Amino acid sequence: CWSIKILVNRLRSCADPEAAKKMSTAIFKMLNALVWREGEMTKNNDTPKHHRSRLRLLAAQQILKLCQNKIFDEVLTPVDFNRLAFVSQDPLGNIRRGFVEKLQKYLVKLLIPARFYTIIFLTAFEPDLEFRTSIMTWIRSRLKVFHDGKHQTFESVFPRLLHLLAHHPDFSTNPEELLDHARYIMYYI
């Protein structure tokens, strides 16, 4: 965990934009692999389960941290963005909570681009009712802030949400299964 934090902070402190972009490729590759492989680091698949969950959460949070910088945000591909988004639906509650809370923090402080609001709406099926209620309250408060400031941030999120849902691993054109995806849209509305 410390190694990942050191690599990310070293990358963030790089003064030369070209060198930083060049270095970011390998670091993003590692972080994205941790997210995609659910925290597995070795080829033998022998990373202890409790370490894997911690590594996955840390990798996702560090990607968010890197995306505060426009140079690094451009390195995050749409495919990697989708994989990152699905961390909000992790089977482990502490990973979902840790990721979403960090995401909310960065969004409130306007540290990351508005496209990351899309991820919040994947919490429509959050099993922890208390946590889902707090997320809904947070969404309403952000909506009020944007409405009062006459910003259309949430309106611009909808096409991204549809795109994300179309690439969701559970997506199917079966009418019964599309009802589940309709729940995401109703949650957004």
Side-chain angles (χ1 to χ4, degrees):
C1 289
W2 283 107
S3 299
I4 291 171
K5 288 179 180 183
I6 289 169
L7 285 172
V8 168
N9 287 332
R10 181 172 177 249
L11 179 60
R12 289 180 70 218
S13 68
C14 187
D16 181 26
E18 289 302 316
K21 196 164 190 171
K22 192 174 183 181
M23 283 178 21
S24 69
T25 307
I27 293 173
F28 265 100
K29 183 177 178 182
M30 177 196 61
L31 294 173
N32 288 321
L34 285 170
V35 168
W36 182 246
R37 297 182 69 210
E38 297 180 356
E40 182 58 60
M41 292 196 72
T42 65
K43 291 181 182 177
N44 299 335
N45 294 332
D46 59 357
T47 304
K49 200 169 193 170
H50 58 282
H51 289 303
R52 288 177 33 195
S53 61
R54 184 173 293 151
L55 288 171
R56 183 172 191 208
L57 174 60
L58 180 65
Q61 289 175 334
Q62 296 301 306
I63 289 171
L64 291 176
K65 188 175 186 178
L66 284 173
C67 287
Q68 292 178 30
N69 188 321
K70 186 176 171 134
I71 293 170
F72 304 132
D73 183 49
E74 292 171 356
V75 175
L76 187 68
T77 66
V79 172
D80 294 333
F81 179 84
N82 290 352
R83 291 176 180 168
L84 177 68
F86 298 131
V87 173
S88 66
Q89 296 181 327
D90 195 87
L92 297 174
N94 63 340
I95 296 200
R96 291 190 309 269
R97 183 177 288 272
F99 177 68
V100 170
E101 287 176 350
K102 184 68 77 169
L103 177 64
Q104 289 173 326
K105 174 184 163 187
Y106 288 155
L107 287 169
V108 166
K109 293 182 177 183
L110 304 174
L111 296 175
I112 55 178
R115 71 178 172 142
F116 285 92
Y117 275 103
T118 310
I119 298 171
I120 293 293
F121 295 104
L122 289 181
T123 61
F125 288 97
E126 172 60 46
D128 182 352
L129 185 59
E130 181 184 323
F131 185 46
R132 185 172 60 207
T133 304
S134 74
I135 294 170
M136 290 171 63
T137 303
W138 182 85
I139 291 171
R140 287 186 189 108
S141 73
R142 296 307 302 156
L143 182 60
K144 182 170 178 9
V145 166
F146 288 127
H147 181 70
D148 291 347
K150 302 203 185 306
H151 297 285
Q152 305 220 337
T153 303
F154 276 90
E155 289 79 1
S156 67
V157 166
F158 189 65
R160 289 187 184 277
L161 178 62
L162 291 178
H163 180 267
L164 187 60
L165 293 176
H167 290 89
H168 195 284
D170 296 336
F171 180 77
S172 170
T173 56
N174 184 350
E176 287 105 28
E177 293 179 19
L178 281 176
L179 287 175
D180 284 344
H181 274 60
R183 186 169 168 185
Y184 290 111
I185 296 170
M186 292 305 296
Y187 187 67
Y188 168 83
I189 291 172

